[in-house]
């Protein structure tokens, strides 16, 4: 148990008496470790039993995973189908476009990190492990050595962008304001820039997008498109004009009523008569419309969380209705609703895997199906799906961690 | 509005007339008229574009000419029955998996959410591992992965894993014992089971009444009356007594392996097992996070006060913490239940004949995409409506009860 600070006269002369919590902190590490273990692992007989059971479970799990990864599984289905899983039918001659796109995205990530956050030791560890994993996947077999060189260049660009951006002082100087604006513009334009790089001047056409690349393109389209749909919908639903608020409510409830698969069904069998276009474009429209309805509900929640005094004060100082909405209401409402919006973004990232259920489109999971359709890999179904799940997991987990950090840094969601 | 408008003081000139377009009511009318016109145009365009198709729900009455899997209560012949009947079979399959998934994921979710907050470091880390692993991978990939594990990870039925002739595991699915109506030792007819079930309901009602009375007595006198123990004991005693009195009308039917199929007992097919497992694991990770968040949102003083009056950890949880946390948990969990009902459409990925898969087959055979889509949307909305109504009822009960 914690020692109580002893009376001053019992101490050797010259020693400062500290408050109890500081005294505890000074105790030797071994003591503190023992105390910690007693409190957190072996508090009572029942608690000790629980710890032992969970420890056995953990060891079993760990051994099982290690055995599976290194001995049980045959990863050749992944290593010989790397390109299929990554980009599928993307033209081989235009491969450089993909890597330039990857480099641009990495560069933007680095800049954003440098501007608004800082790599700590854990981030660096994560980047190192993730890159080692990816390079291991790509360089396996030797034929794809160029890919890993490209990847390393992208990584170097990320760090370059970071190093430059992190030097910008964090104050209210003009340089800082300008840098913030440039950063936001870069992120907002990331998707069109990457699509331009991929498609312009004899590059890929929309049906070439395949595998992981398709997921990476569909998810941001869904997120950005969803926001574009959601903001007017949320304002419309909160509107005092009856007809507008009713139709917006009806729209939101209709879209939320059917599962995403149902809407993809619409994209495949019904929308071709209405808007035409290629299936990829129709899928993008459906994703935006679907995500928009959910996001509208979250933004409405943010609108409702605002005190109506905000609106009244803005009107009282003479702002117009549009100005009130644009300068006072929306910034606050969006800030409150960032956590659920990020949750929806992660969910749409995961939902891009549904594209290959009924549509003749092959994203990462669909291409895993193609990989195991080859006769030599027919028995490696589990390995292929484990790989797909891990890839999805890495991206979703990274998204959730970054959002947590943003929330903590800005006090978002607390109002 | 007019009564509240500030009156100009006498002697000042009249304010200038506001132009008609800038008057609030006129403007609102104009905006709405414009909005209606644009919406009508869009709808008219869509209707016009879709006008070239044939419409009508008559196709649902024609014979289906496809079969759905032969599973519990769904061995219905597709060659003679209509498409609508087959669709209803799909609806039944969906309801079955959704109800089971909701029940199981609630139980596991609460367990894991509480474990996540355990003072035992290892337990809380294990719970966190579970949540973070299964929350961040797509449900669809998880379901096909479970399916692959059942199909390729389990042995063939020739080398079936036999757990004491009680449970069989193979890539044909899982066979468990099931109950069948039985004459019992009076040699009575099969419908004696029905009588027993009715007796069970009566016993449940009685137990509930006793519980109510004891709770009231406890509140009024302050003496411990053990309402839950009394109710449970009464129910168990009555159930057992009626079971024996009616001559044990239910028998346990153990599964057996016949050639390459399961017979007797209850066979859980790989498709169903994979879908259920995926839904339960995925949803319980989310439920666990909701439970954790709601408990953490309570003031710490609640736990401290509960320990101060000498409640054990279990009592603290069941009588102080969870009842209060439930008020926050129920609305969020309702959302998860709605998600389960919609996520069950992922059954198509493993060829489980749920309503979406059956509807998709019908569409592939005969077309009529618009009608099929309307049908599935209405079905899912009805399902969501039922779930919402039930959860609203529970929410009202819980909040009334604990305030």
């Amino acid at each position: 148990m914690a020692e109580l600070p002893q009376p001053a006269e019992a101490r050797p002369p010259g020693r400062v008496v500290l408050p109890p919590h500081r005294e505890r902190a000074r105790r030797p590490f071994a003591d503190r470790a023992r105390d910690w273990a007693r409190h957190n692992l072996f508090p009572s007989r029942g608690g000790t039993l629980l710890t032992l059971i969970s420890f056995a479970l953990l060891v079993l799990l760990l051994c099982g995973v290690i055995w599976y990864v290194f001995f049980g599984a045959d990863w050749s289905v992944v290593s010989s189908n790397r390109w299929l899983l990554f980009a599928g039918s993307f033209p081989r001659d235009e491969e450089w476009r993909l890597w330039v796109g990857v480099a641009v995205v990495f560069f933007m990530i680095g800049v954003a990190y440098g501007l608004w956050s800082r790599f700590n030791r854990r981030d660096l560890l994560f980047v190192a492990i993730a890159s080692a994993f990816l390079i291991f996947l790509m360089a396996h077999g030797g034929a794809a050595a160029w890919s890993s060189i490209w990847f390393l260049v992208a990584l170097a660009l990320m760090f370059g962008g970071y190093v430059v951006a992190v030097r910008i002082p964090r104050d209210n100087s003009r340089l800082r304001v300008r840098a913030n604006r440039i950063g936001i513009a870069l992120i907002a334009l990331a998707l069109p820039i990457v699509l331009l790089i991929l498609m312009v001047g004899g590059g890929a056409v929309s049906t070439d997008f395949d595998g992981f690349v398709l997921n990476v393109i569909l998810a941001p389209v869904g997120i950005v498109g969803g926001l574009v749909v959601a903001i007017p919908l949320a304002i419309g639903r909160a509107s005092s004009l009856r007809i507008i608020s009713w139709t917006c409510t009806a729209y939101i409830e209709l879209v939320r009523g059917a599962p995403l698969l149902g809407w993809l069904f619409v994209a495949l069998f019904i929308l071709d008569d209405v808007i035409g276009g290629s299936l990829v474009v129709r899928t993008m429209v459906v994703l935006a419309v679907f995500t928009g309805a959910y996001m509208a509900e979250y933004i409405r929640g943010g609108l409702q969380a605002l005190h109506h005094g905000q609106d009244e004060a803005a009107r009282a100082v003479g702002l117009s209705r549009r100005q009130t909405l644009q300068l006072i209401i929306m910034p606050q409402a969006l800030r409150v609703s960032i956590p659920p919006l990020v949750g929806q973004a992660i969910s749409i990232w995961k939902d891009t895997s549904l594209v290959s259920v009924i549509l003749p489109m092959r994203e990462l999971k669909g291409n895993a199906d193609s990989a195991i359709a080859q006769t030599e890999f027919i028995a490696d179904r589990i390995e292929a799906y484990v790989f797909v799940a891990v890839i999805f997991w890495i991206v979703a987990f990274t998204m959730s961690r970054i959002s947590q950090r943003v929330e903590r840094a800005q006090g978002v969601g607390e109002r | 509005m007019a009564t509240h408008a500030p009156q100009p003081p006498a002697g000042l000139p009249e304010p200038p007339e506001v132009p008609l377009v800038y008057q609030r009511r006129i403007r609102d009318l104009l905006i709405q008229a414009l909005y209606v016109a644009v919406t009508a145009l869009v709808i008219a365009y869509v209707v016009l574009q879709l006008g070239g198709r044939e419409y009508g729900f008559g196709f649902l009455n024609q014979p289906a000419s496809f079969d759905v899997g032969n599973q519990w209560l769904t061995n219905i012949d597709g060659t003679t029955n209509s498409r609508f009947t087959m669709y209803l079979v799909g609806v039944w399959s969906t309801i079955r998996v959704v109800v089971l998934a909701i029940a199981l994921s609630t139980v596991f979710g609460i367990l894991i959410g509480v474990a996540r907050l355990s003072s035992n470091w290892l337990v809380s880390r294990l719970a966190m591992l579970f949540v973070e692993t299964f929350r961040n991978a797509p449900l669809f990939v998880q379901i096909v992965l479970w399916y692959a594990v059942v199909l390729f990870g389990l042995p063939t039925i020739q080398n079936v894993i036999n757990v004491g002739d009680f449970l069989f595991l193979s890539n044909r699915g899982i066979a468990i014992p099931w109950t069948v109506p039985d004459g019992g030792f009076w040699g009575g007819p099969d419908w004696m089971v029905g009588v027993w079930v009715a007796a069970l309901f009566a016993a449940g009602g009685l137990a509930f009444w006793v519980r109510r009375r004891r709770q009231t007595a406890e509140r009024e006198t302050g003496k411990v009356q053990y309402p839950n123990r009394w109710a449970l004991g009464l129910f168990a005693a009555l159930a057992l007594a009626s079971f024996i009195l009616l001559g044990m009308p239910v028998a346990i039917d153990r599964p057996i392996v016949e050639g390459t199929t399961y017979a007797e007992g209850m066979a859980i097919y790989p498709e169903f097992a994979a879908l259920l497992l995926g839904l339960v694991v995925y949803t319980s990770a989310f439920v666990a996070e909701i439970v954790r968040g709601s408990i953490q949102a309570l003031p710490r003083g609640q736990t401290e006060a509960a320990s101060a009056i000498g409640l054990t950890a279990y009592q603290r949880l069941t009588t102080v913490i969870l009842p209060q946390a439930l008020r926050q948990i129920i609305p969020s969990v309702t959302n998860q239940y709605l998600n389960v009902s919609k996520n069950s459409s992922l059954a198509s990925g493993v060829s489980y004949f749920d309503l979406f898969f059956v509807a998709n087959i019908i569409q592939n055979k005969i077309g009529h995409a618009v009608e099929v889509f309307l049908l599935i949307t209405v079905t899912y909305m009805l399902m969501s409506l039922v779930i919402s109504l039930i959860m609203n009822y529970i929410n009202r009960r819980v909040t009334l009860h604990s305030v």
Side-chain angles (χ1 to χ4, degrees):
Chain A
M1 281 290 104
E3 296 166 55
L4 290 170
Q6 302 186 347
E9 59 269 21
R11 295 178 172 281
R15 174 118 192 250
V16 182
V17 180
L18 293 172
H21 65 281
R22 298 281 305 276
E23 279 298 329
R24 268 201 297 282
R26 188 182 271 170
R27 284 158 57 240
F29 176 78
D31 280 15
R32 277 185 285 143
R34 203 184 52 215
D35 261 17
W36 181 88
R38 195 184 291 157
H39 273 289
N40 294 303
L41 295 179
F42 312 107
S44 60
R45 209 173 286 172
T48 308
L49 189 68
L50 208 60
T51 305
L52 289 180
I53 292 173
S54 357
F55 187 69
L57 200 67
L58 192 68
V59 168
L60 211 68
L61 211 66
L62 217 63
C63 290
V65 168
I66 289 173
W67 176 82
Y68 179 75
V69 169
F70 291 103
F71 307 107
D74 177 12
W75 296 108
S76 60
V77 59
V78 173
S79 55
S80 8
N81 289 301
R82 285 186 313 257
W83 183 259
L84 177 69
L85 291 170
F86 179 56
S89 57
F90 198 87
R92 261 338 263 268
D93 301 339
E94 307 291 333
E95 188 185 339
W96 61 271
R97 289 171 184 271
L98 273 182
W99 293 113
V100 173
V102 169
V104 168
V105 171
F106 271 43
F107 176 70
M108 280 169 188
I109 292 175
V111 168
Y113 245 85
L115 277 179
W116 298 302
S117 183
R118 234 163 256 240
F119 278 127
N120 57 27
R121 222 180 284 164
R122 234 193 234 177
D123 295 333
L124 288 177
L125 191 71
F126 178 76
V127 170
I129 292 176
S131 324
F133 178 62
L134 286 171
I135 289 177
F136 169 75
L137 281 175
M138 288 165 177
H140 195 273
W146 271 109
S147 315
S148 50
I149 292 173
W150 270 110
F151 186 78
L152 284 177
V153 169
L155 216 56
L157 266 176
M158 177 166 89
F159 276 103
Y162 173 76
V163 166
V164 171
V166 86
R167 272 157 205 260
I168 297 170
R170 302 191 176 206
D171 48 19
N172 286 326
S173 62
R174 278 186 61 188
L175 177 68
R176 177 73 200 174
V177 173
R178 202 171 296 165
N180 276 349
R181 280 203 194 132
I182 292 175
I184 290 171
L186 267 181
I187 289 175
L189 291 176
L191 188 67
I193 291 176
V194 170
L195 281 180
L196 274 184
I197 292 172
L198 291 182
M199 298 174 80
V200 143
V205 289
S206 65
T207 45
D208 285 340
F209 296 137
D210 214 334
F212 184 67
V213 172
L214 182 59
N215 296 93
V216 172
I217 290 174
L218 282 182
V221 169
I223 294 163
V224 176
L227 268 179
V228 170
V229 175
I231 293 175
L233 263 183
I235 298 172
R237 187 164 181 178
S239 163
S240 56
L241 306 179
R242 289 275 172 74
I243 297 179
I244 294 182
S245 82
W246 284 347
T247 42
C248 286
T249 310
Y251 173 89
I252 292 172
E253 294 306 329
L254 175 70
V255 171
R256 281 155 46 101
L260 178 56
L261 269 190
W263 291 106
L264 291 175
F265 177 93
V266 170
L268 185 59
F269 297 117
I270 300 177
L271 269 191
D272 55 345
D273 279 357
V274 180
I275 58 173
S278 76
L279 185 57
V280 179
V281 177
R282 275 181 271 150
T283 309
M284 288 175 174
V285 170
V286 160
L287 275 179
V289 161
F290 181 81
T291 319
Y294 281 83
M295 287 186 163
E297 278 298 272
Y298 297 130
I299 297 174
R300 185 177 71 110
L303 286 174
Q304 282 178 345
L306 285 188
H307 195 270
H308 57 86
Q310 295 288 332
D311 184 53
E312 287 161 8
R315 302 303 305 270
V317 297
L319 297 184
S320 72
R321 263 205 257 185
R322 193 181 61 79
Q323 281 173 323
T324 309
L325 214 55
Q326 189 185 335
L327 299 174
I328 308 293
I329 304 297
M330 275 335 266
Q332 297 188 69
L334 283 179
R335 225 167 83 100
V336 174
S337 44
I338 279 181
L341 287 182
V342 172
Q344 186 61 35
I346 295 175
S347 143
I348 206 71
W349 161 252
K350 290 184 286 182
D351 281 347
T352 54
S353 61
L354 299 196
V355 161
S356 54
V357 180
I358 55 167
L359 304 189
M361 275 164 77
R362 304 249 133 197
E363 42 70 67
L364 182 55
K365 190 263 162 189
N367 276 353
D369 286 341
S370 319
I372 52 186
Q374 304 160 32
T375 40
E376 66 260 47
F377 300 124
I378 213 141
D380 297 340
R381 195 182 270 252
I382 300 178
E383 286 86 345
Y385 289 151
V386 165
F387 176 77
V388 171
V390 167
I391 294 289
F392 272 110
W393 188 90
I394 289 174
V395 177
F397 186 73
T398 315
M399 280 164 88
S400 76
R401 279 301 140 109
I402 290 178
S403 84
Q404 273 175 17
R405 179 178 301 183
V406 172
E407 281 160 31
R408 232 175 297 139
Q410 307 224 325
V412 171
E414 292 166 9
R415 264 193 282 156
Chain B
M1 290 303 282
T3 51
H4 293 291
Q7 295 294 321
L12 286 178
E14 283 285 311
E17 189 77 1
V18 179
L20 224 49
V21 193
Y22 288 119
Q23 281 181 19
R24 185 67 176 271
R25 278 170 60 197
I26 307 287
R27 244 179 84 126
D28 285 356
L29 264 178
L30 273 179
I31 292 174
Q32 295 194 54
L34 191 71
Y35 176 80
V36 168
V38 170
T39 316
L41 268 180
V42 170
I43 292 175
Y45 176 76
V46 171
V47 169
L48 210 66
Q49 293 295 313
L50 289 174
R53 304 178 179 217
E54 273 183 36
Y55 290 101
F57 283 94
F59 69 96
L60 285 173
N61 287 326
Q62 296 158 3
S65 73
F66 65 87
D67 261 324
V68 300
N70 176 11
Q71 303 192 11
W72 192 40
L73 299 189
T74 60
N75 43 352
I76 288 173
D77 180 23
T79 46
T80 52
N81 281 294
S82 72
R83 294 204 175 94
F84 191 65
T85 312
M86 299 318 270
Y87 180 73
L88 288 183
V89 171
V91 173
W92 161 240
S93 305
T94 299
I95 291 174
R96 203 163 34 144
V97 79
V98 166
V99 168
L100 264 177
I102 285 180
L104 290 176
S105 57
T106 310
V107 173
F108 285 119
I110 292 178
L111 275 180
I112 293 162
V114 170
R116 181 82 176 70
L117 289 172
S118 164
S119 59
N120 192 312
W121 185 80
L122 208 55
V123 172
S124 92
R125 288 293 130 149
L126 267 182
M128 192 178 91
L129 187 70
F130 176 89
V131 169
E132 292 295 349
T133 308
F134 292 110
R135 203 170 57 144
N136 285 320
L139 173 59
F140 177 51
V141 177
Q142 288 189 40
I143 288 174
V144 292
L145 181 56
W146 291 123
Y147 190 49
V149 168
V150 174
L151 280 192
F152 289 85
L154 290 179
T156 56
I157 196 149
Q158 281 81 17
N159 314 314
V160 67
I161 302 174
N162 183 347
V163 185
D165 271 342
F166 205 70
L167 181 78
F168 290 97
L169 288 166
S170 79
N171 64 3
R172 291 293 173 93
I174 302 154
I176 56 170
W178 201 247
T179 52
V180 285
D182 187 68
F185 53 73
W186 304 128
D190 275 357
W191 50 260
M192 284 313 254
V193 189
V195 177
W196 187 54
V197 171
L200 280 188
F201 272 105
L206 194 66
F208 201 71
W209 180 71
V210 167
R211 176 168 174 268
R212 230 346 132 62
R213 274 202 54 177
R214 296 212 151 242
Q215 276 178 338
T216 320
E218 199 172 65
R219 259 202 305 280
E220 281 167 1
T221 62
K223 282 183 190 150
V224 183
Q225 300 280 344
Y226 300 111
N228 286 333
R229 285 182 211 182
W230 265 89
L232 221 69
L234 191 68
F235 181 76
L238 284 179
L240 194 69
S242 58
F243 188 63
I244 292 170
L245 270 180
L246 289 172
M248 302 211 222
V250 177
I252 300 291
D253 187 21
R254 283 186 183 188
I256 47 172
V257 176
E258 270 182 5
T260 58
T261 51
Y262 294 121
E264 317 273 311
M266 164 74 90
I268 301 169
Y269 288 83
E271 297 82 24
F272 182 79
L275 181 63
L276 184 67
L277 197 60
L279 282 173
V280 167
V281 166
Y282 185 77
T283 314
S284 50
F286 281 91
V287 172
E289 275 303 276
I290 291 169
V291 169
R292 180 185 69 95
S294 309
I295 290 180
Q296 275 183 338
L298 290 180
R300 270 191 74 85
Q302 294 292 330
T303 318
E304 288 161 4
S307 349
I309 60 171
L311 299 186
T312 64
Y314 179 73
Q315 284 175 325
R316 217 155 55 205
L317 193 68
T318 51
T319 62
V320 178
I321 304 301
L322 274 185
Q324 295 187 70
L326 268 183
R327 284 183 227 162
Q328 269 211 27
I329 290 176
I330 288 178
S332 321
V333 155
T334 306
N335 257 334
Q336 289 304 322
Y337 292 169
L338 298 180
N339 283 347
V340 170
S341 74
K342 284 178 261 171
N343 284 339
S344 68
S345 62
L346 295 179
S348 319
V350 290
S351 312
Y352 174 72
F353 288 85
D354 79 321
L355 72 92
F356 185 82
F357 195 47
V358 172
N360 203 13
I361 295 175
I362 294 174
Q363 200 283 143
N364 283 339
K365 282 193 181 289
I366 190 89
H368 290 283
V370 178
E371 291 94 324
V372 169
F373 176 70
L374 282 179
L375 192 64
I376 53 181
T377 308
V378 168
T379 316
Y380 278 113
M381 280 181 156
L382 277 179
M383 213 146 61
S384 301
L385 191 69
V386 171
I387 294 175
S388 303
L389 285 179
I390 293 174
M391 292 309 289
N392 280 347
Y393 174 75
I394 293 176
N395 195 21
R396 255 202 320 277
R397 294 281 316 223
V398 167
T399 40
L400 267 184
H401 197 66
S402 56
V403 161

